Amino acid sequence: MEVLGFLRLEAGGTVVTLTLFVALLALLKWYSTSAFSRLEKLGIRHPKPSPFVGNLMFFCQGFWESQLELRERYGPLCGYYLGRRMYIVISEPAMIKQVLVENFTNFSNRMASGLEPKPVADSILFLRDKRWEEVRGALMSAFSPEKLNEMTPLISQACEHLLSHLKLYAASRDTFDIQRCYCCYTTNVVASVAFGTQVDSQNTPEDPFVQHCRQFFALRIPRPLLALILSFPSIMVPLARILPNKNRDELNGFFNKLIRNVIALRDQQAAEERRRDFLQMVLDARHSTSSVGVEDFDMVKEALSSSECPVNPPQRGQPASMPEPLTTDEIVGQAFLFLIAGQEIITNTLSFITYLLATHPDCQERLLEEVDLFVEKHPAPGYCSLQEGLPYLDMVIAETLRMYPPAFRFTREAAQDCEVLGQYIPAGAVLEVAVGALHHDPEHWPHPETFDPERFTAEARLQRGPFTYLPFGAGPRSCLGVRLGLMVVKLTLLQVLHKFRFEASSETQVPLQLESKSALSPKNGVYIKIVSR
Ligand code: HEM
């Protein structure tokens, strides 16, 4: 009897276990695909998602190629899933205008994954709502023409190092990877301008700042972990945030300590002794009394439409101090901003321009003439002369950023349910602006694969439809560093092209292979020769 009872219990236990197991499998099966009906319900076309990971595999060739393919297959309004998250992709100018400008109050935040490390999460890139508005208002002054003018000597100084390295390559007549040189150079610029510290990353790669920058860009989430995070975001994201991560914590600690030391030093210095760098501009903006409002936040419109030196935005209403001044963590975040928003993008922009000039010698000749005339007139150019006196360089940069926009996708999150040009968008949906697809749409850009700076003459700019060119985004949340970014690119090219010309060699990869895990960049560097002039 006892044995029978035991067997019955055993059998009962197995049945329960089996039932639970089957229920779990059914639950997992449901969970693995339950998020994937939302796009269809919205009437938005998309590639077929796989269980758990959605369309992750669609992007294994890189986000750039996939973005172009999405547009070609599904049109200017389409979508995809990364894990359980739904993305609505737009590359239609009228719709982009609605999201970035007309309906800005409903789309004022960028999407955050929740995995951004502390200083990155504290930077204005990821701040949200009211705090974003306050900090952006305060930081606007750090990017004014006068402040940028004060920073030009620091950039020129870093450029001297670049020129002396390039001189060695010119003397050797060897083909070399100029992207690596630009990367070292922009690291020096960021160290000097944003972190108030001097480094020479080409000659002293073991410098702790240089090493930590390299580690920062090498931080990657391993693929299996990424798949887990995408599949189970509500468990994995909080878990990943609290689990100890030695590399991440060490990196944060290093940059935090560096900035805090500089701040302590600056606080002891008299105002006139302080270095006039970006960090100081942010420190000055700490207790800002700015009254620049959202309506004056868009710097990109002015930077791309006018070659005149801008005046400071009008101060509307009474100057008001920020309700809560920038905390030290937020200041560290803004210094970090240069590293995350500027360094890689400027390196890539310089690399793409160099590649295009080396492979288009006629354009380069015309540019060299302009550069020589300009340097004769302005031996030590400031922000305003750079802005006004180099029209062909402006055209070359603009066309390069059309062909190869380093920030080729950015997002906005819908705060509330709304309709955009007849398309229903639910609250919480993420909209991705597909800049790459927009810039390569033959409807707006005939022969999009051809490098043609003439697309950016003053007349051509006037004739083109609005919201067809967005290398810096658009609207109140567009790039805050547009003036600074363009100034660094122009100042660098001016000094380099005054001394050297670029030449393609048999090792130059044509067409250039691209990589697009985060920003768009050359995949295997840019191998060229450089010749002294
Ligand atoms: C050629 C250089 C650069 C390019 C092509 C570029 C491009 C962009 C793009 C496409 C965005 C997203 C815009 C949007 O969401 O509408 C952005 C945002 C931003 N960029 Fe840049 N950027 C450049 C350089 C810089 C530099 C040097 C800095 C600063 C140090 C900077 C600071 C920012 C900031 C702060 C934002 C976010 C603004 C906000 O959320 O309010 N950028 N940039």
Side-chain angles (χ1 to χ4, degrees), residues 367-377 497-498 533:
L367 183 55
L368 293 178
E369 276 174 30
E370 180 177 276
V371 164
D372 291 348
L373 277 174
F374 182 89
V375 175
E376 226 171 79
K377 258 171 82 186
L497 288 171
H498 184 52
R533 300 181 60 212

Side-chain angles (χ1 to χ4, degrees), residues 110 124-125 132 136 337 345 407 410 412 471-473 477 479 481:
R110 216 164 264 129
I124 187 177
L125 270 175
W132 164 76
R136 175 127 184 170
L337 177 72
I345 289 191
F410 55 83
R412 294 290 187 272
F472 297 95
R477 193 131 200 190
C479 179

Side-chain angles (χ1 to χ4, degrees), residues 116-345:
E116 293 76 22
K118 175 104 180 95
V120 178
D122 279 330
S123 84
I124 187 177
L125 270 175
F126 292 102
L127 291 180
R128 298 174 74 87
D129 304 315
K130 195 82 194 128
R131 191 57 182 157
W132 164 76
E133 202 178 307
E134 290 164 6
V135 173
R136 175 127 184 170
L139 285 185
M140 291 285 287
S141 64
F143 294 91
S144 70
E146 295 144 278
K147 300 286 168 66
L148 295 179
N149 226 358
E150 292 185 62
M151 290 182 223
T152 48
L154 295 174
I155 298 164
S156 293
Q157 204 181 342
C159 205
E160 290 297 322
H161 278 291
L162 172 69
L163 294 180
S164 51
H165 294 308
L166 293 182
K167 207 166 157 191
L168 300 176
Y169 287 113
S172 77
R173 295 287 290 134
D174 287 339
T175 300
F176 69 106
D177 177 11
I178 197 161
Q179 188 184 3
R180 284 178 81 144
C181 298
Y182 287 145
C183 185
C184 292
Y185 162 65
T186 52
T187 305
N188 298 351
V189 171
V190 171
S192 166
V193 175
F195 289 83
T197 175
Q198 219 67 45
V199 299
D200 176 2
S201 31
Q202 191 113 19
N203 286 328
T204 49
E206 69 287 355
D207 183 291
F209 182 88
V210 180
Q211 297 243 352
H212 282 87
C213 282
R214 204 166 296 140
Q215 274 175 32
F216 175 76
F217 284 111
L219 274 186
R220 290 265 181 271
I221 301 177
R223 266 179 180 246
L225 183 60
L226 180 67
L228 261 180
I229 291 173
L230 290 175
S231 308
F232 302 99
S234 30
I235 305 172
M236 292 303 293
V237 170
L239 202 64
R241 267 210 299 242
I242 52 169
L243 281 180
N245 179 333
K246 219 174 123 230
N247 272 352
R248 181 195 61 195
D249 297 344
E250 204 267 320
L251 263 179
N252 292 350
F254 173 81
F255 286 112
N256 238 298
K257 195 165 158 215
L258 181 70
I259 298 269
R260 280 167 197 270
N261 286 345
V262 178
I263 295 175
L265 186 76
R266 299 271 169 104
D267 282 344
Q268 287 165 14
Q269 286 174 325
E272 62 283 1
E273 282 173 30
R274 294 175 189 151
R275 218 164 163 265
R276 303 305 296 158
D277 53 19
F278 178 66
L279 180 58
Q280 191 56 46
M281 310 302 162
V282 176
L283 288 173
D284 292 345
R286 239 181 314 186
H287 308 279
S288 165
T289 51
S290 153
S291 62
V292 182
V294 174
E295 61 282 1
D296 295 315
F297 277 2
D298 186 353
M299 282 190 180
V300 170
K301 203 156 126 200
E302 161 268 303
L304 296 190
S305 63
S306 156
S307 61
E308 278 166 32
C309 198
V311 286
N312 286 333
Q315 299 270 310
R316 297 172 206 228
Q318 287 300 309
S321 54
M322 271 208 284
E324 286 173 50
L326 284 173
T327 62
T328 308
D329 275 356
E330 282 175 335
I331 293 170
V332 177
Q334 308 328 315
F336 231 79
L337 177 72
F338 210 132
L339 197 62
I340 46 180
Q343 197 248 354
E344 195 181 6
I345 289 191

